[in-house]
Amino acid sequence: GSPYFMKDWVDGIIRFSNGKVTDKFKLKFNLVQNRLMLQFRGTTFAAETKITEFVMYTRNKKDSFVFRKGFPDADRGNKETFYRVLEQGEVTLLMLAAKDIIEEQEILDSKPDRHFQHVELFYLLKDGTMYKVDKQTAPVQDILADKREELKKYIAEQQLKMRSADDFIKVVKKYNELLN
């Protein structure tokens, strides 16, 4: 497997902490290191720390993926960690996309077998605090307890399984609508 969010270099936009924006680079995002790689005229280098956000486009440029840093600390993340922004509003849904390197030792093999395991951790940013969304112990509707009953009804009506990013996005979007 590949350590990258998308295996090929893609077009994108970079936002810097000083407010500057550029689209002059090709982008690759290393999920193992949570590091943005840039390519300019054939030269590849790691992005500097002054980048606060980047957007990656798919080949057809119809879809985009927004990554941002500067969020409060949460188990595997800190202010320098890039999270994928899935839904933004009064409550923001974030995903920490990562790839862990897994080593498995075969009994008769002298070298361990290494492969990447894709990890997706979901968080809600509410009132300046990060809440980890865990399907078993901290479901979305329990974190957003002030609208729990409305969200439970919505989840049932929409027949959401609450196992995918798409389901989480729908529920957070509904919650933000209920607040307005």
Side-chain angles (χ1 to χ4, degrees), residues 115-156:
H115 61 276
F116 295 107
Q117 180 177 346
H118 189 71
V119 177
E120 291 181 344
L121 302 172
F122 296 93
Y123 297 90
L124 292 176
L125 177 64
K126 181 181 180 192
D127 300 326
T129 303
M130 295 280 274
Y131 297 92
K132 186 174 180 183
V133 175
D134 185 298
K135 295 168 250 333
Q136 280 72 43
T137 58
V140 174
Q141 65 271 23
D142 288 353
I143 297 169
L144 305 174
D146 58 320
K147 302 288 182 193
R148 180 185 289 125
E149 293 310 312
E150 294 97 321
L151 293 177
K152 278 185 176 181
K153 183 179 174 193
Y154 177 76
I155 291 167

Side-chain angles (χ1 to χ4, degrees), residues 134-179:
D134 185 298
K135 295 168 250 333
Q136 280 72 43
T137 58
V140 174
Q141 65 271 23
D142 288 353
I143 297 169
L144 305 174
D146 58 320
K147 302 288 182 193
R148 180 185 289 125
E149 293 310 312
E150 294 97 321
L151 293 177
K152 278 185 176 181
K153 183 179 174 193
Y154 177 76
I155 291 167
E157 286 171 357
Q158 300 295 312
Q159 299 178 356
L160 303 177
K161 302 281 186 252
M162 300 309 293
R163 290 188 201 117
S164 71
D166 289 339
D167 288 356
F168 293 143
I169 290 167
K170 288 176 185 174
V171 172
V172 172
K173 191 178 278 192
K174 180 66 175 176
Y175 177 82
N176 285 330
E177 287 172 8
L178 290 169
L179 292 177

